[in-house]
Structure formats: C-alpha cells, structure tokens
Amino acid sequence: IIALTLGYLLIPDSRDESAPRLDPLGSGLSIAGLAALLWAIIEGPTKGWGSAEVLAAFAIAAVVIAAFFLWELRCSSPMLDMRVFKNRRFSAASGAITVTFLTLFGTIFLLTQYFQAVLGYSAMKAGFAYLPLALCIVVGAGIASWLVTKLAARPVLVGGTALTIAGLLLLWRAPIGGSYLVDLLPAL
C-alpha cells in the first residue's frame, strides 16, 4: 500500500507515443493454448498420457497455438512478430534457450520433491539447497554477456548448453538418497 501510494505521488506520468496497440485476440489465444498444454502436461502422469482427456487437451493446445501463430502473422500489431524467426541465428538461439530453461524448470520441480521426499529437507532447507544454482545463473549471465562481446554468440551458447548437459549428467548418475555435497552440489 505504501509503495503504491508513493508511486502514485512521486512517479511522473509518461506515455510512449509509438507504443503498439494491444493484441487481445493474440493474448487470449496464447493464454488458452498454453493453459491447455500445461493442463495436459500436469495431468498426464495421473490421468494417463493416453487418456482421452489428456489427448484432447494436447489436441486443443496444438490447434489453439497454431491459431495464435496464424493470427500473429496476419495481425497489424502482433504480440509476437513472427518475422523475427526468419533469422536462423535468432531461431536457433531462441530454441536452445527455450529448451535449456524448460529443462531447468523441470529439474527444479523434480529436485524440490527429491530434496523433501527423499532427503527429508524442509521447504526452507530445500530452497537453500538451490542457492549454488542461483549463484551460478547470476554469475553465468554476467560472464556470458561479456563473452559474447569478446567471442561471439555461438560459442557461448554451445558452451552454456554443454555445461547444462554436464550438470544434468551429474544429476542423472547421483544415487538415490546420496549426499548433497558429493552428489548434488557439483551438478548444481
């Protein structure tokens, strides 16, 4: 409440005159498509990946996301300008980063459960167990942007992906109920 009040009183009004118009249909399609996709992914393990509900949700997600892409190609003020994906470098880098982050989020989701259910960590201790990973992400982001200016984007992207794969391989070989310091920390 204090921050909102101070913001209202102290932050001057401003407007970007060149701001594009909103794309409510594109927003709605992206939300609906991603919601259907996430629901299918979340419910797949419990309802069964081949169940009619999960397969229907995947089909709905595919149709709605395809409609989103088609709309964005035709919209005069798209939420996501699809023309940027004609650049192969941009598309490859975006794809690699997307896969890396999906992997990271999936790993965090599973490791949290591993920390709590297998190693018996409290929620707080499980959160602290991620501090080395968070620190590596922060430091790595700074180093990566500096390396891109010195080398180029491709070797930095390949190197970062290789480090991610190495960490995942270390996690993969970690024994169930293993030591955090010996088996998990090096991977993180």
Side-chain angles (χ1 to χ4, degrees):
I1 293 172
I2 293 169
L4 288 174
T5 304
L6 289 174
Y8 179 79
L9 295 172
L10 299 175
I11 297 175
D13 286 337
S14 66
R15 177 175 284 251
D16 182 2
E17 299 302 328
S18 65
R21 291 187 351 245
L22 293 177
D23 179 13
L25 181 59
S27 298
L29 288 170
S30 68
I31 291 168
L34 291 174
L37 178 63
L38 289 174
W39 185 90
I41 291 170
I42 290 168
E43 293 298 323
T46 53
K47 293 188 182 297
W49 292 104
S51 71
E53 298 136 314
V54 171
L55 292 176
F58 277 124
I60 290 168
V63 169
V64 174
I65 291 171
F68 167 75
F69 287 127
L70 291 173
W71 170 253
E72 293 300 294
L73 286 170
R74 295 181 182 175
C75 181
S76 62
S77 181
M79 190 173 91
L80 174 62
D81 187 356
M82 303 304 288
R83 292 174 294 190
V84 298
F85 293 102
K86 288 182 181 178
N87 181 329
R88 286 180 35 196
R89 286 182 176 199
F90 176 82
S91 294
S94 295
I97 290 169
T98 299
V99 169
T100 300
F101 272 92
L102 288 173
T103 304
L104 173 67
F105 297 141
T107 302
I108 288 172
F109 176 75
L110 292 173
L111 267 181
T112 300
Q113 299 191 33
Y114 176 81
F115 287 148
Q116 293 179 330
V118 176
L119 297 181
Y121 287 9
S122 67
M124 181 71 77
K125 188 173 180 181
F128 279 118
Y130 283 115
L131 284 178
L133 177 62
L135 181 63
C136 286
I137 290 171
V138 170
V139 171
I143 292 171
S145 62
W146 177 79
L147 283 175
V148 166
T149 62
K150 300 296 180 197
L151 302 173
R154 181 178 293 169
V156 175
L157 181 64
V158 170
T161 304
L163 284 172
T164 302
I165 291 169
L168 290 171
L169 288 173
L170 287 172
L171 279 176
W172 176 56
R173 69 145 200 81
I176 294 176
S179 164
Y180 174 81
L181 291 174
V182 174
D183 299 312
L184 300 174
L185 183 61
L188 294 174

